[in-house]
Amino acid sequence: MTLPARLGRHERKVAGTLALCFAFELADINSFAYVAPAVHHALHLGLREISVVTAAGFLGMFAGATAGGRVAERAGRKRALRDSVLWFSLLPGHRGRVRTISLLATRFLTGCGLGATTVVAVTYLTELVPEHRRGRVQAGTLAAGLLGIPAMAFFARAVIGPGPQSWRLVFVFGALGVVPLVITRWLPESPAWRRTPAAGTPLRLFRGRFARRTTMLATAWIFLTIGDYGFASFAPTLVHEHGFTLTHSVGYAALTTLGAVPGALLAGPSPTASACAAPARCSACSSPARVSRMD
């Protein structure tokens, strides 16, 4: 059995498992956006209150991403991934039964788990996949995971209409995130984490030769987050406020989510990946330092 063949099967198993984690995580991130129009009426929340609850979720994601990275450095990628998925999965079932203040708190706490999952899963996948195939595997994994957003959106459209309290069922969907935990048990710990000592303070990325790259990437992500999540979080509520029914408002938002999957797939092929199509003959890709990640 050749090394490339063994790596290919391993990559598919890792990518499939992480794609399932991403699917439930991304579904939960967007869950409140699809129930917000119904919550607006059921709990008599104004647009200001809806905005505060939405902001609490993203504030929690910021805190979770920061803490999740530190936990992954100390306890390992696999444990941090499993803990973060378990964290955000256990909260939605309770969140569907609460009112304004508790909704704010649980949305923040759920965001902590979601932010940690994103950071840990992306890092974990990066360290397990060889560099010459990393871009394509990441694109394919995220494309499959992005299917969780339209799945959540169309599920919300189906259950919100029947009754004034049926919107609570949307949060049950998020609780299904415990399903990936069953199959993440077989995942290996990251070899890179086992071999690499703690890298020190993250502030080093804003110094020296990394400063320009870090600033550029951070700026791009800030505007991407504002544009993407800013629109997705408020579109259903704003459309409903302009006279559309609940089901039509959520249905419109659901349709906009379908473009994310082909968008991720378009990012997969690249000149770098094509140039490394024959890693066995490429000294850069077949060096021991790069292949040993999968030993």
Side-chain angles (χ1 to χ4, degrees), residues 32-53:
F32 187 73
Y34 302 121
V35 301
V39 172
H40 176 53
H41 292 287
L43 300 183
H44 306 290
L45 299 182
L47 290 178
R48 184 185 296 273
E49 287 79 9
I50 294 293
S51 301
V52 172
V53 174

Side-chain angles (χ1 to χ4, degrees), residues 45-144:
L45 299 182
L47 290 178
R48 184 185 296 273
E49 287 79 9
I50 294 293
S51 301
V52 172
V53 174
T54 300
F58 290 112
L59 182 62
M61 290 180 65
F62 174 80
T66 304
R70 294 184 178 275
V71 172
E73 287 296 318
R74 293 178 178 272
R77 317 307 194 213
K78 179 180 177 178
R79 180 176 176 181
L81 176 67
R82 289 175 55 83
D83 289 350
S84 60
V85 172
L86 183 64
W87 179 276
F88 80 74
S89 299
L90 292 180
L91 287 169
H94 171 66
R95 196 170 63 221
R97 300 190 298 270
V98 298
R99 293 189 178 276
T100 308
I101 300 300
S102 296
L103 185 66
L104 183 69
T106 50
R107 191 60 190 167
F108 172 81
L109 293 174
T110 302
C112 291
L114 295 170
T117 299
T118 300
V119 170
V120 176
V122 171
T123 302
Y124 188 41
L125 182 63
T126 299
E127 293 178 346
L128 287 177
V129 179
E131 293 183 23
H132 63 276
R133 289 201 293 272
R134 188 173 297 160
R136 291 188 176 185
V137 173
Q138 285 180 332
T141 302
L142 288 173

